[in-house]
Each structure stands twice: as structure tokens, then as C-alpha cells.
Amino acid sequence: MQPKETVERFIAHIHAQRLDEAKNLLAAKGFEYVGPNMRFLSRDDMLSYQFGMVAIQKDLIVRQLSADGEHVFAILDYQTNFEPIGDVRLAVWFRVRAGKIHTVEAFYNAAVVENMLGGNLPTAGG
């Protein structure tokens, strides 16, 4: 499977809230997620956080998906049912090797999420 296909499947699993299937596309060792206000060094920790977001997820719309070798870039609209957050536009950079996503870097305006959680955002390993 090409890196772009791996990321397409990952996004589809997150959209459908199939987190176990999404987890299978993430590297078991050497995984890293970096966002504007949190960092996870374990796919389990990242997906545990994502599980908490499932309750407010209304839709996940792929606006653009492109690849350059092992680098895959996505522009997503994360629509929520939670008025204080509303909809969040995400830019996400994935690095895929040997059919597994090793790195996810997300770029978004984190101020709304941080304010909603009172500045108490999860961090793991960092």
C-alpha cells in the first residue's frame, strides 16, 4: 500500500470512529504525535485522546490530500457538535514507512480547545 493510501484509510477509520482499525495503521514502536498543545509518544495514548473526542465529532471532511514519497499532507475540516469548539481546520503532516504511520504532526488553532479544557491538556512522554 502506498503512503497516501495508508493515510486515506487512517482518516476513513477516524471518521467512522473505528479506532482499533486506525491503530493498526500506526507504528507500534517509534510513533510520535506532535500538535500545537500536546505530544504523544505512543499510538495508544494518541488514540485514547482521540476516543475522548469521538463524542463531539460530527464530521471529518478531507479537503486536500497529497503525497511526496513517505510524506503525506492533509487539510481537514473537523466538525464538532460542541459549540465552544465549533469546527476546526487542520493541516496534518504524516510520515509513513513500511506501510505504517510513524509520525503525525497536526497544525491548528489550539486556543479554543485549550480554553475549553482550562489549559489542562494531556501530554505523554514529553
Side-chain angles (χ1 to χ4, degrees):
M1 182 174 2
Q2 294 297 315
K4 184 176 178 183
E5 294 169 317
T6 300
V7 171
E8 284 174 325
R9 286 188 183 178
F10 177 78
I11 293 169
H13 291 321
I14 294 295
H15 180 255
Q17 303 177 4
R18 295 186 305 260
L19 299 184
D20 286 336
E21 288 89 343
K23 178 180 175 176
N24 291 332
L25 295 171
L26 301 174
K29 294 186 180 189
F31 175 80
E32 181 180 29
Y33 168 90
V34 178
N37 53 8
M38 63 189 80
R39 180 176 182 227
F40 300 110
L41 298 177
S42 152
R43 67 184 187 173
D44 292 320
D45 290 342
M46 187 201 81
L47 288 173
S48 291
Y49 176 75
Q50 184 63 41
F51 180 76
M53 299 298 286
V54 163
I56 65 168
Q57 178 181 309
K58 179 171 39 176
D59 204 355
L60 182 61
I61 299 168
V62 178
R63 298 184 69 209
Q64 176 71 37
L65 190 64
S66 59
D68 182 9
E70 69 179 19
H71 303 275
V72 181
F73 306 92
I75 304 296
L76 308 169
D77 285 334
Y78 186 80
Q79 298 180 345
T80 76
N81 293 310
F82 191 64
E83 192 174 316
I85 292 179
D87 299 339
V88 179
R89 180 154 301 140
L90 306 161
V92 188
W93 176 18
F94 298 88
R95 279 166 277 185
V96 182
R97 288 188 306 278
K100 298 290 183 180
I101 298 169
H102 285 260
T103 306
V104 178
E105 288 192 53
F107 304 87
Y108 57 91
N109 180 353
V112 174
V113 177
E114 204 166 292
N115 289 337
M116 177 194 77
L117 298 174
N120 296 321
L121 290 170
T123 58

